[in-house]
Amino acid sequence: MNKDLGSALRLQELDLRMSELRREIATLPKQIAQIEKALEAHNKRLELDKAALAANQRDRKKLDADVGGHQQKISKLRDQMLGAKTNDQYRAFQHEIEFCEESIRKCEDQILDLMGTSESLDQNVKKAEAALAQERKVVEAQKAKAKTRTEADQKELKKLDADRVEVAKSLPADILSIYDRLRTRYYKDGDVIAQAKDGLCMKCMMALRPQFYQEVKLSTTINFCENCRRILYYEDPALDVEAQMNN
C-alpha cells in the first residue's frame, strides 16, 4: 500500500475514534439529566402522597374537634334539660341533642373512612421513600460512573489529538488538505477513506471502472471513488496471507 495512504488510514482511524469519544462525552450529561428528571418525577409523586397524607390527618383532627364540640354541646344541653319548664322546651332540647348525636355519628363514620385511607397513604409514602432512597443511590453511582468515564474519555481524546497532529505532519500537504476537505464538507464523522475490493468501492458499493480499478490497485497515486468521492485504497490479499503465515 502507498505509504501516504497508510498514514491517511491511520488519520481516519484516529478521527473516527475521536468522533466516537466526543459523542460519548456529549451524551453522558444528557443521560444523567434524563435519570435525574425521572428521579425528580418520582420525588414529586412522593410529595403529593405526603400532602395527601397530611391533608387526611388534618381532616381527621378537624373531625375529632367537631366530635368534641358536639359532645360538649350535648353535655350543656342535658344540663339545660334539667331546667326545662315545659314539655315543648324539653322536646326541643332533646331534638337538639339527637341532632348533635347524629352529627357525631357522621363525623365518626368519616373518621373511619379517613383512617382506612390514611393507612394506604402511609404505606405508599413509606414505600416511595424507601424506593426513592435506593434510586438516589443508583443515580449517584451512575453520576460517579459517568464522571469517571468522561474523565477517561477526555484523557484518551487528548492523547489521540496529539497522535493526530503527528500523523498529519507525516502526510504531504496536498493529501492532508484533500482529506480534511472531504471530512469537513462531506463526511464529518471522519469516514472518508474506502477500501476497493472485487471491483467495488466498499463504502458506497458502486462498481469501479476496470481500468480505474487497476489504477487503484497499483496505489501509485491518490484515487477517489467516482461516486462517493472517498479516497480509495487497495489491500493485496496475497500480502495478507503472507502476513498471517509469518505470524
Side-chain angles (χ1 to χ4, degrees):
M1 182 190 295
N2 182 295
K3 179 184 175 183
D4 292 337
L5 276 174
S7 295
L9 273 171
R10 174 58 180 155
L11 197 62
Q12 174 174 265
E13 180 185 335
L14 292 169
D15 282 332
L16 289 172
R17 177 57 181 159
M18 289 167 72
S19 294
E20 182 183 342
L21 288 170
R22 289 191 183 101
R23 283 194 297 271
E24 187 168 73
I25 289 169
T27 300
L28 286 171
K30 294 177 183 177
Q31 292 176 344
I32 294 301
Q34 288 177 343
I35 294 169
E36 289 182 329
K37 187 176 180 180
L39 182 65
E40 181 60 25
H42 295 164
N43 188 57
K44 285 181 179 179
R45 282 199 291 272
L46 172 60
E47 292 304 316
L48 288 173
D49 284 342
K50 284 183 175 180
L53 181 60
N56 180 287
Q57 291 169 342
R58 285 195 302 272
D59 290 344
R60 284 166 56 192
K61 188 174 181 180
K62 182 180 180 302
L63 287 167
D64 283 335
D66 289 346
V67 168
H70 289 312
Q71 289 172 337
Q72 287 179 359
K73 189 175 182 179
I74 288 173
S75 179
K76 289 180 181 179
L77 288 169
R78 282 178 175 160
D79 289 341
Q80 291 172 348
M81 281 179 68
L82 297 176
K85 295 179 180 179
T86 65
N87 287 336
D88 288 341
Q89 286 181 333
Y90 185 88
R91 282 193 294 270
F93 284 129
Q94 190 174 38
H95 178 73
E96 197 164 353
I97 287 171
E98 289 173 353
F99 177 80
C100 288
E101 288 175 340
E102 177 62 23
S103 296
I104 288 173
R105 283 192 291 272
K106 288 179 180 179
C107 287
E108 288 175 340
D109 287 342
Q110 291 179 56
I111 289 171
L112 287 173
D113 289 339
L114 287 171
M115 286 177 66
T117 305
S118 174
E119 185 177 352
S120 176
L121 287 171
D122 188 53
Q123 288 177 354
N124 288 343
V125 167
K126 287 177 180 177
K127 287 179 182 178
E129 285 177 336
L132 198 60
Q134 183 61 34
E135 193 171 356
R136 283 198 181 101
K137 289 181 181 178
V138 172
V139 169
E140 289 306 313
Q142 289 176 325
K143 287 170 70 174
K145 185 179 179 181
K147 182 182 177 182
T148 301
R149 185 60 179 269
T150 299
E151 289 172 352
D153 285 351
Q154 289 171 336
K155 184 177 179 180
E156 184 182 353
L157 190 60
K158 185 176 180 180
K159 181 182 181 303
L160 292 175
D161 192 45
D163 291 344
R164 188 188 193 281
V165 170
E166 293 303 314
V167 174
K169 286 179 182 177
S170 70
L171 274 170
D174 58 337
I175 296 177
L176 179 60
S177 177
I178 291 169
Y179 174 89
D180 283 337
R181 186 167 65 251
L182 285 170
R183 186 169 63 88
T184 55
R185 289 188 182 179
Y186 302 108
Y187 303 106
K188 293 183 179 180
D189 60 355
D191 193 8
V192 302
I193 304 176
Q195 183 182 11
K197 184 178 179 182
D198 300 329
L200 301 174
C201 168
M202 301 308 291
K203 288 296 182 180
C204 67
M205 301 308 293
M206 292 296 290
L208 305 174
R209 290 182 293 106
Q211 184 178 351
F212 178 64
Y213 182 50
Q214 292 305 315
E215 291 176 9
V216 174
K217 289 173 71 175
L218 290 173
S219 298
T220 55
T221 59
I222 300 298
N223 295 287
F224 304 90
C225 175
E226 294 170 323
N227 178 61
C228 69
R229 301 175 181 169
R230 287 182 172 91
I231 298 170
L232 293 171
Y233 73 93
Y234 176 78
E235 287 186 352
D236 191 340
L239 293 178
D240 289 343
V241 172
E242 183 179 345
Q244 291 175 9
M245 290 177 66
N246 290 334
N247 290 335

